[in-house]
Amino acid sequence: MAEISHPPMEQLQDLEYCIDSNPPWPETVLLAFQNYILMLGSSAFIPALLVPAMGGSDGDKARVMQTLLFVAGIKTLLQALFGTRLPAIVGGSFAFVVPIAYIINDSSLQRISNDHERFIHTMRAIQGALIVASSIQIILGYSQVWGLFSRFFSPLGMAPVVGLVGLGMFQRGFPQLGNCIEIGLPMLLLVIGLTQYLKHVRPFKDVPIFERFPILICVTFVWIYAIILTASGAYRGKPSLTQHSCRTDRANLISTAPWFKFPYPLQWGPPTFSVGHSFAMMSAVLVSMVESTGAYMAASRLAIATPPPAYVLSRGIGWQGIGVLLDGLFGTGTGSTVLVENVGLLGLTRVGSRRVVQVSAGFMIFFSTLGKFGAVFASIPVPIYAALHCVLFGLVAAVGLSFLQFTNMNSMRNLMITGLSLFLGISIPQFFVQYWDARHYGLVHTNAGWFNAFLNTVFMSPATVGLIIAVFMDNTVEVERSKKDRGMPWWVKFRTFRGDNRNEEFYTLPFNLNRFFPPT
């Protein structure tokens, strides 16, 4: 047999900057701003989806978006400094949509006739549920319970989970791009062209600008193109879906956003608490833990770091719980997770620097207070972001599958576990999604609304379904005979902080805080 030319490699080799190496300051600032532009897609879409259903106006939508950005900056900075310390952006999560829809449709809130009053009361109810539900992540994280559970992970179990973190987002890819094909398709082709075919072209000295700043370049050109189409009347008389997807002036964010607004805790008033609402929200907190764990694994690989040890993973989940608590206190209208698209950006630009993410967090905090400025960029049409998602989510999925190189994929056991978890991880959530309706609570439809929201949320998450199947089968089917096949000889040294000397370089706390919080 011919010699294998590509043996398994612990770290990716063709990345430019790793987690603790930094580009020059001008590049760092531009890369950070690029991260900020990318995360605006989720930050604008979630309020646009939820606030009108809550009874809020365009002004309320702009204010919620500002709050979401402000808190995302704080959460990202805390996570990069004291959490996992990986270059990951923490922002609004779509996993919370189902329990929030359950709260929105609560009969006691629906009886409120005044729209603005209903919005305020609904926001307070969401805040209360987030505050209570955050305790799950805080307890599981800081008690090291999530770290203990992570000891059941292996390369074979993590590959489909990380893969589904990317593949499970397919609805935010071409289906949204196709709503305005004349904008979305040129954006997709331009991103692929610049990053793959022109990446070695360097018009300015030694900086590969097409590979390093593809989002800034592509968004600028396609956004101007979209503005021209809108101004020329290309969408006049078109169906409402086309106008909403293609036009650059449909969101009404710029006109309604304040020039300056500083978000502050309890700005909507005191939170209200309900047992049912809190239990429903806990399902989304659990799902965000799973999805963030997969995203952390992908980020560590794209930042040329070791997989986060159990202690570091628990620490990150604990700080993520603090983030959900901040969401509840400030009133962002949703909870937190690691943004998968920004993880993919690490690989697309080949820059895994922690400093870039920290500077990006500063952009989020600063520009969130300048309402008009953020609203201008939030008016970028969704199909432009959908084109980016096609590339970035696919890249994260591929990073997940790269963990299979440490396993024996000539084993029928491994092929069965990988194939079943990937297929059911996509198929089961799609089955639940097609039955879900914001007012009818989805496939699980009992008299207990919180129970409906709980199960629907869990089984509508591809990564969560994939983890349940992959980790369960990997730890119950021929376990002792398959240690080598599962990749455990390589994986076991990353379970503990002191298992690999590189962990200290990547994950040690700043300001010499490890003296007070010694790793285990």
Side-chain angles (χ1 to χ4, degrees), residues 423-474:
F423 185 83
L424 291 182
I426 294 174
S427 187
I428 291 175
Q430 182 60 24
F431 179 62
F432 274 76
V433 166
Q434 70 185 25
Y435 281 95
W436 186 74
D437 178 89
R439 292 190 175 274
H440 297 99
Y441 311 126
L443 189 64
V444 181
H445 193 181
T446 67
N447 291 327
W450 65 269
F451 181 75
N452 303 335
F454 194 101
L455 287 187
N456 285 322
T457 300
V458 169
F459 288 104
M460 284 169 65
S461 166
T464 306
V465 173
L467 181 133
I468 292 170
I469 296 168
V471 173
F472 176 78
M473 292 188 67
D474 189 37

Side-chain angles (χ1 to χ4, degrees), residues 287-304:
V287 166
S288 75
M289 285 171 56
V290 173
E291 294 177 349
S292 293
T293 297
Y296 288 137
M297 294 293 179
S300 68
R301 191 148 177 76
L302 289 171
I304 323 182

Side-chain angles (χ1 to χ4, degrees), residues 42 45-46 89 91-97 160-177 287-296 336-344 382 385-398 422 425-427 429-430 433 460-464:
S42 297
F45 190 78
I46 293 175
I89 301 289
S93 171
F94 285 87
F96 290 79
V97 168
V161 174
V162 180
L164 287 166
V165 165
L167 293 176
M169 301 287 191
F170 69 92
Q171 290 287 6
R172 291 174 58 195
F174 210 88
Q176 289 186 348
L177 183 155
V287 166
S288 75
M289 285 171 56
V290 173
E291 294 177 349
S292 293
T293 297
Y296 288 137
S336 306
T337 193
V338 175
L339 297 185
V340 180
E341 55 266 42
N342 289 83
V343 173
V382 171
Y385 283 108
L388 293 171
H389 293 163
C390 290
V391 176
L392 299 172
F393 291 158
L395 181 55
V396 171
L422 280 173
I426 294 174
S427 187
Q430 182 60 24
V433 166
M460 284 169 65
S461 166
T464 306

Side-chain angles (χ1 to χ4, degrees), residues 18 85 101 103 155 261 419 474:
C18 70
R85 307 215 68 214
I103 294 173
K261 186 74 175 180
D474 189 37

Side-chain angles (χ1 to χ4, degrees), residues 163-356:
L164 287 166
V165 165
L167 293 176
M169 301 287 191
F170 69 92
Q171 290 287 6
R172 291 174 58 195
F174 210 88
Q176 289 186 348
L177 183 155
N179 289 333
C180 190
I181 199 77
E182 63 269 30
I183 291 176
L185 191 58
M187 181 68 184
L188 178 61
L189 296 176
L190 191 58
V191 171
I192 295 172
L194 289 186
T195 59
Q196 303 305 310
Y197 296 98
L198 297 177
K199 62 183 178 182
H200 297 300
V201 177
R202 302 189 176 193
F204 303 103
K205 296 183 180 180
D206 295 327
V207 181
I209 61 169
F210 294 139
E211 182 182 52
R212 196 76 83 238
F213 311 113
I215 291 179
L216 293 181
I217 296 170
C218 296
V219 167
T220 299
F221 281 104
V222 179
W223 189 19
I224 291 172
Y225 167 58
I227 292 172
I228 293 171
L229 287 178
T230 300
S232 65
Y235 303 114
R236 195 172 295 125
K238 297 290 184 180
S240 59
L241 178 61
T242 302
Q243 296 210 29
H244 181 75
S245 300
C246 300
R247 295 183 68 99
T248 58
D249 59 355
R250 293 289 292 177
N252 294 327
L253 287 174
I254 300 174
S255 60
T256 56
W259 283 103
F260 180 84
K261 186 74 175 180
F262 195 87
Y264 55 91
L266 307 183
Q267 59 187 337
W268 310 106
T272 57
F273 298 91
S274 163
V275 174
H277 295 170
S278 300
F279 272 111
M281 198 66 78
M282 287 177 186
S283 63
V285 167
L286 293 172
V287 166
S288 75
M289 285 171 56
V290 173
E291 294 177 349
S292 293
T293 297
Y296 288 137
M297 294 293 179
S300 68
R301 191 148 177 76
L302 289 171
I304 323 182
T306 55
Y311 168 78
V312 173
L313 199 57
S314 276
R315 192 174 72 193
I317 293 300
W319 277 106
Q320 196 167 313
I322 298 293
V324 176
L325 178 62
L326 292 175
D327 288 324
L329 291 174
F330 279 83
T332 62
T334 187
S336 306
T337 193
V338 175
L339 297 185
V340 180
E341 55 266 42
N342 289 83
V343 173
L345 187 60
L346 303 177
L348 191 68
T349 60
R350 298 198 301 149
V351 176
S353 170
R354 183 190 293 125
R355 177 182 289 175
V356 169

